[in-house]
Amino acid sequence: MTAQIKMKTPLVEIDGDEMTRVLWALIKEKLLLPYVDLKTEYYDLGLANRDATDDAVTAESARAIHRLGVGVKCATITSNEARKAEYHLRNLFPSPNATIRAILDGTVFRKPISVSTIKPSVSTWRKPIVIGRHAYGDQYKAAELRIPGKGKVELVYTPADGGPEKRIPVAEMKGPGIVQGIHNLDESIKSFARACFVYALDEKLPVWFAAKDTVSKIYDGHFKEIFNEIYETEFRDRLNAAGLRYFYTLIDDAVARVVKSEGGFLWACRNYDGDVMSDMIASAAGSVAMMTSVLVSPSGAVEYEAAHGTVQQHYYRWQKGEKTSTNPVALIFAWTGALAKRAEIDHTPELAAFAKKLEAAALQTIEAGEMTGDLLALANPAPAKSLNSQEFIDAIVKRLEA
Ligand code: NAP
Ligand code: MG
């Protein structure tokens, strides 16, 4: 074995639950520890420890990412009544991802991992399409009301400083119906735009942004204005110098162009558009197990994870002694993403090269026809049989050693 690669600064390691926790340990043992003198600040966000610490460990892990700048997170269970009974929990806590996101105030970027033998359903896509989803406001923080019958609905703003009230009619209801009030904040939209442009510069991608400002002149129009203002005042020169362009269009035009495009751009999406379109991109690109996710904070701190959950059903089979064919690729790429970012910040090219080498080894393994069951139906040519997770990781090790 060659000498281990040294790390200058630790990164934040956030352990999680179920099948992904099993894979996490396996990835470290087989793919990382033999090659890297891994320096991490470890936080156990397994459900038992979140319960034991009254969820304090979740906020601590987010603050650690803020301090150290780079984190990698395993998938975690979001507790509910069923999980409370299953794990004998004392309390229910919010989704760890929501807690971490609230502390780091981030934008989530999701990117498919491409393999030459797995073709996207959209035949023109040659390069991945990355979705940047604004994760604040709009329909996700809406006030909604069922209207029982005829009457007037109004929008009222009462200034905190006692200034004059503003009031506009929403609808003169002719009968029963529904009404919804949504909002967003300039600061949040600005930090969303900044996160997208920073990501685009980092990944050398052009940026697309879309809304429906022809219909929603004030609300969607404001998103367009802010995005444009941040581009013009803070990013135009840097993007131009990198040969990257910013493109705004109407959301329906964007959707039509996306499915005729070659890919290879960042699609900045409003909250609802990002929710819907990231599922479309994931499924058209291949599989949720081949999708990375990174949270980028306006402070520059980043957290890498897999886009999928804890793969609960596989875990129950694993507990019974079965060897499952769970795909570890997105988890491996979460680690390589974090190591590469650490290497970039610390100027440690050896570590960056290792991250690249591990990614290449994982992709070559799949391209050589050695893969987990979820990819079998997508690959062309498809191999006769799938490997279990352990065999697949061993096959990556063989290429890493070669
Ligand atoms: P999931 O864990 O993503 O799994 C859903 C299904 O997708 C699996 O049953 C499996 O399909 C397939 N799948 C996902 N990842 C796979 C992989 N790596 N390899 C092979 N197949 C994979 O979603 P879920 O079952 O809805 O959620 C389970 C738990 O995860 C929940 O407690 C939820 O709270 C949590 N969760 C956490 C995160 C996060 O921490 N980021 C995100 C989402 C969900 P087959 O069964 O057909 O093989
Ligand atoms: Mg969705």
Side-chain angles (χ1 to χ4, degrees):
M1 193 188 298
T2 46
Q4 275 188 322
I5 297 163
K6 296 267 180 264
M7 285 177 70
K8 268 193 201 160
T9 320
L11 55 81
V12 181
E13 174 187 354
I14 303 180
D15 211 343
D17 289 301
E18 298 193 309
M19 205 59 217
T20 43
R21 189 179 180 103
V22 175
L23 293 177
W24 195 260
L26 204 57
I27 289 166
K28 281 178 68 179
E29 180 204 328
K30 299 256 181 172
L31 298 175
L32 301 175
L33 292 171
Y35 309 98
V36 179
D37 185 14
L38 209 57
K39 270 192 190 166
T40 72
E41 214 175 280
Y42 179 86
Y43 292 85
D44 183 1
L45 262 61
L47 195 47
N49 194 46
R50 274 182 276 147
D51 197 51
T53 62
D54 280 327
D55 208 26
V57 67
T58 305
E60 277 165 27
S61 72
R63 286 194 292 269
I65 293 175
H66 194 71
R67 177 164 40 82
L68 291 174
V70 184
V72 59
K73 180 181 170 290
C74 184
T76 46
I77 292 169
T78 297
S79 58
N80 56 21
E81 286 303 333
R83 297 302 202 159
K84 193 172 177 184
E86 184 183 359
Y87 284 82
H88 310 288
L89 303 177
R90 297 180 299 163
N91 285 302
L92 289 183
F93 297 106
S95 142
N97 283 351
T99 303
I100 292 171
R101 229 176 270 161
I103 292 171
L104 293 176
D105 175 23
T107 300
V108 178
F109 296 94
R110 298 212 149 164
K111 177 182 179 183
I113 301 164
S114 329
V115 182
S116 65
T117 50
I118 296 175
K119 298 270 180 269
S121 323
V122 178
S123 60
T124 55
W125 289 357
R126 309 256 176 276
K127 291 173 263 177
I129 295 169
V130 183
I131 297 256
R133 175 182 169 190
H134 185 208
Y136 177 83
D138 298 353
Q139 289 91 327
Y140 303 81
K141 257 197 180 322
E144 301 188 318
L145 198 62
R146 261 175 110 131
I147 306 292
K150 248 177 117 131
K152 188 159 70 173
V153 179
E154 290 182 315
L155 216 53
V156 184
Y157 165 63
T158 315
D161 65 7
E165 200 174 81
K166 276 192 183 153
R167 182 180 289 267
I168 59 162
V170 172
E172 200 64 59
M173 304 289 289
K174 292 197 196 87
I178 41 183
V179 62
Q180 181 186 57
I182 60 171
H183 81 282
N184 223 299
L185 296 168
D186 286 9
E187 269 321 302
S188 177
I189 303 169
K190 283 181 189 170
S191 87
F192 165 53
R194 285 190 187 108
C196 288
F197 289 126
V198 167
Y199 184 95
L201 281 169
D202 247 23
E203 301 281 319
K204 309 213 173 5
L205 294 173
V207 180
W208 292 23
F209 179 58
K212 191 78 181 177
D213 62 289
T214 44
V215 169
S216 165
K217 291 190 169 54
I218 292 180
Y219 200 102
D220 283 35
H222 199 54
F223 268 91
K224 178 184 174 181
E225 275 161 27
I226 289 183
F227 237 85
N228 204 48
E229 175 198 318
I230 297 290
Y231 168 68
E232 291 291 345
T233 57
E234 299 178 25
F235 290 94
R236 183 187 195 111
D237 295 346
R238 275 186 284 166
L239 282 162
N240 285 358
L244 303 170
R245 95 179 171 124
Y246 167 58
F247 172 57
Y248 175 84
T249 187
L250 290 170
I251 185 69
D252 34 4
D253 181 52
V255 171
R257 284 171 188 262
V258 161
V259 293
K260 293 251 194 257
S261 77
E262 281 203 343
F265 54 90
L266 168 65
W267 187 6
C269 284
R270 303 262 309 276
N271 208 346
Y272 177 84
D273 298 339
D275 184 352
V276 177
M277 291 304 162
S278 65
D279 286 338
M280 188 272 284
I281 299 281
S283 115
S287 143
V288 69
M290 297 292 284
M291 180 80 127
T292 60
S293 183
V294 55
L295 174 72
V296 179
S297 153
S299 74
V302 284
E303 179 210 44
Y304 293 83
E305 61 167 350
H308 60 77
T310 60
V311 214
Q312 187 179 359
Q313 297 310 321
H314 291 212
Y315 180 62
Y316 293 149
R317 302 210 302 268
W318 179 86
Q319 279 181 316
K320 289 185 194 138
E322 196 182 310
K323 287 193 161 58
T324 70
S325 185
T326 319
N327 188 343
V329 170
L331 287 171
I332 294 170
F333 273 64
W335 271 102
T336 53
L339 291 174
K341 191 71 189 179
R342 187 75 278 168
E344 184 195 314
I345 298 170
D346 293 352
H347 304 290
T348 48
E350 249 196 314
L351 186 62
F354 171 75
K356 272 218 173 80
K357 199 171 142 190
L358 176 51
E359 289 183 357
L363 299 182
Q364 282 159 13
T365 302
I366 298 171
E367 281 161 357
E370 297 179 272
M371 63 191 74
T372 48
D374 55 309
L375 301 182
L376 223 49
L378 304 167
N380 187 12
K385 70 174 195 60
S386 60
L387 305 183
N388 66 47
S389 304
Q390 174 99 41
E391 292 167 336
F392 176 68
I393 288 174
D394 286 340
I396 298 175
V397 172
K398 248 191 285 157
R399 278 178 185 80
L400 211 48
E401 300 279 340

